[in-house]
Amino acid sequence: MRTSHSTAWLIAAPFVATALVLAGCADGTVAGDPPAPSAEARDEQIDPDALDPCSRPNLTTVEPGALTFATSDVPAPPFFFTDEPADRQGLESDLAYTLGEQLGFRPQEVTWEFVSPDEVVTGRFLDYDVAIGGFSPRGEEFPAVEYTRPYAQVPLELVTTSQDVAAIVADNRSPGDDAEQLRTPDQLTWAATFQSSGPPWLIAQDWMDVDTRYEWARGGDSFEAALGMTDVVVVDEPTRRWLSEAGDVDFSLVAGVEVPEASLAMAMVAGNPLLACVDRALGEMSEDGVLSDVWDRWSDPSAWSQD
């Protein structure tokens, strides 16, 4: 029926148009088509921003008029140099404000909530728009959140305070000859940030149990604390570089063990429609070179001085 109606309209159209042209008006003029609206009128009638779900007026956030980020209150250089992210001192601190600007929020409209990573990924804390702080996508383990497209790919490395431990990991055995002194990697204590891809990799190596409590940052521990309480720590390359260049920590890099690189992404409450707009903004920032500019700026040791 839909096809026959369309056909009937196409056939009848010429006759209707002819009737309109020939029909005279009361003043003797001939009726014609109404004038087309000007370009200015069309622009006034249809505002492109009003149709864009990712334009600032159309974004729904937990705090109207603001964009709320969640992160740990423990500074983690070079991602956050202080516990005041508003100072934009650090890779992820700067990135958060840059993303906010891309979405149309002024710096003073960006707010922060300080929570532990496990409160975010388990869904115990919901009053935020975007969580940033070394998150690696682990959707199957943490269905309460969804992850944005990655904003960085970083190598992971192993560090320790003991050369003997480094040998155990690299050679899968203790360097000592005494059988009673032999230890294997699964007998060591390990640490990796709760929200990163380190724990799944360690579990896959049979070096960490699923129910381990050696995952630092769960309770807000610093890297230095984790390194002091465990044998080996899985750390991202930017953090290890900062420790080497500017940190006052003695440690050894475990050579000969290849750790998969990590994708760094932001976490958001599952089902949040804002995710699509954040992904689009990150894609635009990547294409425009903005992401690489932020990364290059904070990868430079000259930016690490906090004097």
Side-chain angles (χ1 to χ4, degrees):
M1 294 297 291
R2 185 180 303 168
T3 302
S4 62
H5 286 171
S6 300
T7 304
W9 165 247
L10 290 173
I11 294 172
F15 298 98
V16 175
T18 301
L20 288 172
V21 171
L22 296 180
C25 296
D27 60 0
T29 59
V30 177
D33 293 333
S38 64
E40 292 78 7
R42 289 196 301 270
D43 290 341
E44 291 177 359
Q45 292 170 3
I46 302 176
D47 182 358
D49 285 343
L51 301 178
D52 182 0
C54 294
S55 67
R56 166 66 189 277
N58 293 332
L59 297 179
T60 300
T61 55
V62 295
E63 182 70 27
L67 183 66
T68 303
F69 284 90
T71 196
S72 169
D73 62 353
V74 179
F79 298 93
F80 289 88
F81 277 99
T82 74
D83 58 3
E84 295 291 341
D87 60 17
R88 298 184 73 152
Q89 295 297 303
L91 193 156
E92 289 180 329
S93 175
D94 194 4
L95 177 60
Y97 283 93
T98 305
L99 172 63
E101 291 165 1
Q102 188 75 17
L103 291 169
F105 292 88
R106 295 173 296 172
Q108 59 267 36
E109 295 173 321
V110 173
T111 62
W112 293 87
E113 293 286 346
F114 299 104
V115 296
S116 62
D118 58 322
E119 288 183 283
V120 170
V121 298
T122 58
R124 295 202 306 273
F125 183 78
L126 303 174
D127 293 333
Y128 72 97
D129 297 306
V130 186
I132 186 170
F135 290 93
S136 291
R138 291 163 62 181
E140 292 184 1
E141 295 175 74
F142 304 118
V145 296
E146 293 179 290
Y147 296 90
T148 67
R149 60 184 293 163
Y151 56 84
Q153 298 288 134
V154 298
L156 294 180
E157 300 172 334
L158 306 180
V159 297
T160 179
T161 57
S162 167
Q163 291 286 354
D164 286 347
V165 168
I168 293 171
V169 178
D171 299 336
N172 202 31
R173 59 179 177 79
S174 169
D177 294 326
D178 188 343
E180 294 184 358
Q181 299 298 318
L182 290 177
R183 285 200 297 168
T184 55
D186 61 319
Q187 296 174 308
L188 301 174
T189 55
W190 296 82
T193 55
F194 176 77
Q195 69 273 25
S196 76
S197 57
W201 178 76
L202 289 169
I203 292 169
Q205 307 303 307
D206 292 327
W207 293 350
M208 178 185 277
D209 293 331
V210 174
D211 62 350
T212 182
R213 292 298 176 266
Y214 293 133
E215 299 172 4
W216 112 73
R218 175 184 286 273
D221 293 329
S222 66
F223 172 84
E224 290 83 350
L227 197 55
M229 295 185 295
T230 59
D231 293 312
V232 191
V233 176
V234 180
V235 67
D236 58 87
E237 189 265 349
T239 298
R240 196 271 306 160
R241 280 195 61 217
W242 179 83
L243 291 166
S244 298
E245 298 281 345
D248 187 21
V249 182
D250 293 325
F251 64 90
S252 300
L253 183 64
V254 178
V257 179
E258 184 175 348
V259 186
E261 69 177 9
S263 295
L264 298 185
M266 302 176 197
M268 301 178 67
V269 175
N272 187 344
L274 186 64
L275 175 64
C277 296
V278 172
D279 271 349
R280 191 177 88 174
L282 288 172
E284 293 167 347
M285 292 163 62
S286 178
E287 292 177 4
D288 295 341
V290 176
L291 283 182
S292 59
D293 287 347
V294 173
W295 186 267
D296 291 344
R297 181 159 57 250
W298 293 103
S299 296
D300 183 354
S302 66
W304 298 346
S305 174
Q306 299 301 297
D307 296 333

